[in-house]
Amino acid sequence: MQIEPRRVEHQQTDKGYVPVYTTAVVEQPWASYTRTDHQTWATLFERQREILKGRACREFLDNQARFGMSPHAIPRFDELNAVLGKATGWTLVGVEGLLPELDFFDHLANRRFPVTWWIRKPEQLDYLAEPDLFHDLFGHVPLLLNPVFADYMQAYGRGGVKAHAIGAEALVNLTRLYWYTVEFGLIRQDGGLRIYGSGIVSSKGESIHCLESPAPNRIGFDLERIMRTRYRIDTYQKTYFVIDSFEQLMEATRPDFAPLYAQLATQPSIPAGEVRPGDAVFQRGSGEGWAQDGDI
Ligand code: PHE
Ligand code: CO
């Protein structure tokens, strides 16, 4: 029998009317996955591994291989935890779905990453509105093996607890940072652009769109700019922000954000697709190359 996630209620947030699940940590009910569930994992896994060759960053691809994730079956959290714990001290915990912000921050601040235990249905291969096991495990977990990124995620959790105490506007600013880095970030690597954002690597369409479509803007990482930039959750992004390295991300976000939140409170937000004077826009060069405004 298929265990369905229990929907507790819905809540109006800045992202719309969203389901709110139980906040409990649950054991991954591995034995209850059906053949169909394992097949869904296999299909998505094989499809994305193929698409991500030459598109995802080195750290993502290598670390996914280090976990031994394969199309054979849905991975067991406890087996992944054996590898992860030794490498960076993170632990995966099973959850029913999206958590209230403070619960989520508290997990991250303690180096626990919540993973939705259930996987999407076969008719949802290309899109579903909320994170499932494929997004969380395939998309987020590999980079937790990278020491710098692992520290960034914990720092984000701590920053979230702090922003939550400051107020709703601070949380909006901080959530945009998560969105444009952890979920939809691009990184400059080997003379080109590569994907590291989990929301991209778990989506076939967006993995191609973010690098190959002429439509979206690709702009050099700028903390304040990101914190002011709105985003859409139901379409491909109109803007991606590009980091040079995970070290850059760590350094840029190290200062206390409290004064920044206060300053941003006086400034209007920026529409998702806008390009502004001063943006370091990436333009496609010949072949694989990309050049940034301001490069010589
Ligand atoms: N430096 C941030 C603060 O003071 C914390 C943070 C670090 C937030 C990394 C996000 C990412 O709130
Ligand atoms: Co996610």
Side-chain angles (χ1 to χ4, degrees), residues 109-139:
N110 290 287
R111 290 174 100 85
R112 292 188 303 263
F113 192 78
V115 176
T116 306
W117 70 263
W118 54 269
I119 192 159
R120 68 193 70 184
K121 305 238 177 301
E123 60 272 23
Q124 298 172 308
L125 288 191
D126 292 324
Y127 184 79
L128 79 172
E130 55 193 312
D132 73 332
L133 178 136
F134 185 74
H135 168 78
D136 287 340
L137 211 55
F138 183 97

Side-chain angles (χ1 to χ4, degrees), residues 28-30 32-42 69-77 79-80 116-120 133-134 137:
Q28 181 188 27
W30 197 85
S32 80
Y33 292 131
T34 63
R35 286 176 56 112
T36 307
D37 291 335
H38 288 295
Q39 187 56 53
T40 298
W41 167 267
M69 289 189 193
S70 84
H72 176 66
I74 293 175
R76 295 177 182 263
F77 295 176
E79 289 181 9
L80 300 174
T116 306
W117 70 263
W118 54 269
I119 192 159
R120 68 193 70 184
L133 178 136
F134 185 74
L137 211 55

Side-chain angles (χ1 to χ4, degrees), residues 227-280:
M227 285 193 169
R228 290 179 59 193
T229 306
R230 297 203 289 265
Y231 61 84
R232 293 282 300 265
I233 68 162
D234 56 350
T235 61
Y236 294 153
Q237 300 307 304
K238 290 185 158 57
T239 298
Y240 300 93
F241 289 91
V242 182
I243 60 171
D244 291 325
S245 65
F246 295 123
E247 285 79 6
Q248 177 201 21
L249 189 54
M250 195 69 207
E251 288 315 309
T253 54
R254 203 183 288 284
D256 180 9
F257 285 177
L260 186 54
Y261 295 140
Q263 182 212 316
L264 292 175
T266 65
Q267 294 184 299
S269 63
I270 301 170
E274 191 169 304
V275 177
R276 333 183 81 230
D279 285 343

Side-chain angles (χ1 to χ4, degrees), residues 59-81:
E59 292 82 351
F60 176 86
L61 295 171
D62 293 353
N63 286 324
Q64 197 166 58
R66 259 174 84 193
F67 270 119
M69 289 189 193
S70 84
H72 176 66
I74 293 175
R76 295 177 182 263
F77 295 176
D78 50 4
E79 289 181 9
L80 300 174
N81 275 335

